[in-house]
C-alpha cells in the first residue's frame, strides 16, 4: 500500500509539474509523458486513459526505486537517485522521438527537473518510512 500511494502521488506531482512547465514555457513534456500512440493498438486512446497508464508505470517505477533504495547510505542515495535521473533524461530523448514531439533544451530541462522532483518525493517518503 505504501508504494501504491507514494507512486500515485509522485506520478501525479510529476504530471502536474510537466503540465505547468508546458503552460509556462510552451513545451510538450506532458504529452511526451503520457503519449502511448506509438504502441500498436493504443493509437487513439483518450488522454485520461494515457494518464492512467502513466500512473500505473509510476507505481512500477516507485516499486523498483523503493525496493532497491540504499537505506542508511547518504552517499549511496545520491548516486542511486542520480542514476535513476540519468535514465529519466535518456527517456525524454527516446519518448520524444517515438511520439514525434519536437525536442528542445527547455523541454529537456523541465523534464529533468520534473523527474528530479519525482525521485525526491519518493526519497522523502523512504527516509520517513525507515
Amino acid at each position: 500500500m505504501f508504494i501504491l500511494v507514494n507512486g500515485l502521488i509522485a506520478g501525479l506531482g510529476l504530471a502536474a509539474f510537466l503540465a505547468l512547465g508546458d503552460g509556462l514555457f510552451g513545451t510538450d513534456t506532458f504529452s511526451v509523458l503520457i503519449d502511448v500512440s506509438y504502441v500498436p493498438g493504443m493509437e487513439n486512446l483518450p488522454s485520461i486513459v494515457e494518464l492512467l497508464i502513466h500512473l500505473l508505470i509510476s507505481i512500477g517505477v516507485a516499486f523498483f526505486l523503493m525496493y532497491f533504495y540504499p537505506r542508511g547510505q547518504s552517499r549511496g542515495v545520491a548516486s542511486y537517485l542520480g542514476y535513476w535521473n540519468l535514465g529519466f533524461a535518456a527517456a525524454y530523448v527516446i519518448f520524444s522521438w517515438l511520439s514525434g514531439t519536437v525536442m528542445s533544451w527547455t523541454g529537456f530541462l523541465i523534464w529533468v527537473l520534473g523527474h528530479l522532483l519525482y525521485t525526491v518525493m519518493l526519497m522523502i517518503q523512504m527516509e520517513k518510512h525507515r
Side-chain angles (χ1 to χ4, degrees), residues 9-98:
I9 291 170
L12 286 170
L14 171 61
F17 181 86
L18 296 183
L20 178 65
D22 287 353
L24 292 174
F25 299 103
T27 56
D28 292 319
T29 56
F30 180 75
S31 61
V32 170
L33 182 74
I34 66 168
D35 184 24
V36 293
S37 63
Y38 47 83
V39 177
M42 296 187 162
E43 294 87 4
N44 298 312
L45 291 177
S47 295
I48 191 71
V49 174
E50 291 180 322
L51 179 61
L52 291 173
I53 292 169
H54 157 71
L55 292 174
L56 287 173
I57 292 169
S58 176
I59 293 167
V61 168
F63 171 78
F64 285 105
L65 194 145
M66 293 175 150
Y67 185 79
F68 295 107
Y69 188 82
R71 291 163 179 82
Q73 307 168 15
S74 59
R75 186 174 179 179
V77 169
S79 298
Y80 180 71
L81 295 180
Y83 289 128
W84 273 96
N85 280 290
L86 282 174
F88 292 139
Y92 174 74
V93 175
I94 295 165
F95 294 138
S96 292
W97 177 72
L98 286 171

Side-chain angles (χ1 to χ4, degrees), residues 77-127:
V77 169
S79 298
Y80 180 71
L81 295 180
Y83 289 128
W84 273 96
N85 280 290
L86 282 174
F88 292 139
Y92 174 74
V93 175
I94 295 165
F95 294 138
S96 292
W97 177 72
L98 286 171
S99 65
T101 304
V102 176
M103 289 183 271
S104 69
W105 285 109
T106 306
F108 181 74
L109 180 61
I110 292 168
W111 179 273
V112 169
L113 289 175
H115 282 82
L116 181 62
L117 173 69
Y118 175 83
T119 56
V120 167
M121 287 170 55
L122 292 174
M123 179 197 72
I124 289 169
Q125 291 306 312
M126 285 301 296
E127 294 295 325

